[in-house]
Amino acid sequence: MPPHGGVVVAQEGNRRKGEMSPAEIRQCVTDIVAWFERKNREKADEGATPEAEIAAFVRENRMQLPIALEELYNKVCGGGLVWFEDKQLLSIQRATKMMSEIKEKNKIISILC
């Protein structure tokens, strides 16, 4: 077990060369979500984030989500199912709210400066 619950990557044997393919990313996300669903049954029924909400987030924030995050949102809504150490996956709704708050603060700062 890694110290303090950290992640240890094996460096022996057949080392990876190059980036993950989109198919490998999709499979990885599927495996991660399945593991969390097995461990947390009451959160497993939340379902996927609606495509329209993902598209709206991308459009409103003029940004492209990394393929792994988009695949994750295509499988889950966030809201407590997926965790990494002490960090929880934000729902797309919460991420949208946070981006709006940041934009509003930046608008106020630009007015004051």
Side-chain angles (χ1 to χ4, degrees):
M1 180 111 170
H4 304 333
V7 175
V8 175
V9 178
Q11 295 295 318
E12 314 170 352
N14 190 10
R15 293 184 67 167
R16 178 176 204 53
K17 293 182 176 91
E19 299 293 320
M20 289 177 72
S21 72
E24 289 173 316
I25 291 171
R26 281 190 290 278
Q27 185 60 53
C28 182
V29 168
T30 299
D31 295 344
I32 289 168
V33 170
W35 185 88
F36 276 101
E37 286 174 341
R38 283 192 309 274
K39 299 295 179 189
N40 196 357
R41 292 275 181 217
E42 66 272 7
K43 297 283 186 178
D45 294 332
E46 293 180 356
T49 304
E51 282 282 331
E53 291 184 25
I54 297 170
F57 179 83
V58 167
R59 185 178 56 256
E60 289 170 15
N61 295 293
R62 297 184 183 119
M63 65 188 308
Q64 185 61 44
L65 292 175
I67 188 170
L69 187 55
E70 188 171 344
E71 285 296 324
L72 193 53
Y73 280 131
N74 283 323
K75 301 244 185 250
V76 298
C77 276
L81 178 64
V82 179
W83 288 78
F84 180 74
E85 294 186 359
D86 63 340
K87 308 296 186 262
Q88 178 183 6
L89 174 67
L90 290 176
S91 67
I92 202 81
Q93 298 86 2
R94 181 74 178 115
T96 299
K97 183 176 184 228
M98 289 175 73
M99 291 298 287
S100 295
E101 291 169 358
I102 290 168
K103 288 177 187 176
E104 189 61 35
K105 286 178 185 176
N106 287 341
K107 198 182 297 180
I108 292 169
I109 290 171
S110 67
I111 291 171
L112 296 174
C113 292

